[in-house]
Amino acid sequence: MGALKPWHIAVLVVVLILLFGAKRLPDAARSLGRSLRIIKAETKSLQDDDRDLAEKADAQAGYQPLPPHAGQQAPYAQPQQQAPVQQPVVDPVHRVRDN
């Protein structure tokens, strides 16, 4: 029952010719082929992009910062925090009126 026999294909071809006409079938096949090529190219480029991103992530994961020289502070170390300077709160409406 699941096997596709030659007479099934013949009936399918006859039905397609009756539905679409003999002139439209080659154009439809060409446009279908173009669409499939575009889809194939796009999926390949997406896979290549994913592979490139994975390679870049692997390459960057191996980077280590250089150790500081003796007596120098590391450039990536955060400076010691100072007490925040309190700025007076100024209402924008009053500031415009003062000018």
Side-chain angles (χ1 to χ4, degrees):
M1 182 170 162
L4 190 63
K5 301 200 177 185
W7 68 271
H8 288 127
I9 296 173
V11 169
L12 184 65
V13 168
V14 169
V15 168
L16 287 174
I17 289 174
L18 288 175
L19 284 176
F20 296 108
K23 291 182 181 179
R24 286 193 197 166
L25 283 178
D27 293 334
R30 264 188 234 105
S31 65
L32 181 64
R34 286 184 191 135
S35 300
L36 290 176
R37 268 183 264 145
I38 290 171
I39 290 171
K40 182 180 175 183
E42 291 297 323
T43 54
K44 185 179 180 202
S45 68
L46 286 174
Q47 290 173 349
D48 291 343
D49 289 345
D50 290 343
R51 194 175 315 121
D52 291 343
L53 282 174
E55 288 174 1
K56 286 180 184 177
D58 289 342
Q60 289 178 353
Y63 290 140
Q64 298 269 338
L66 294 175
H69 293 290
Q72 290 183 351
Q73 184 180 8
Y76 52 85
Q78 294 187 4
Q80 295 191 6
Q81 293 182 348
Q82 298 174 353
V85 177
Q86 294 290 333
Q87 296 289 334
V89 178
V90 178
D91 186 18
V93 174
H94 293 297
R95 186 171 46 193
V96 170
R97 289 181 187 163
D98 290 342
N99 292 334

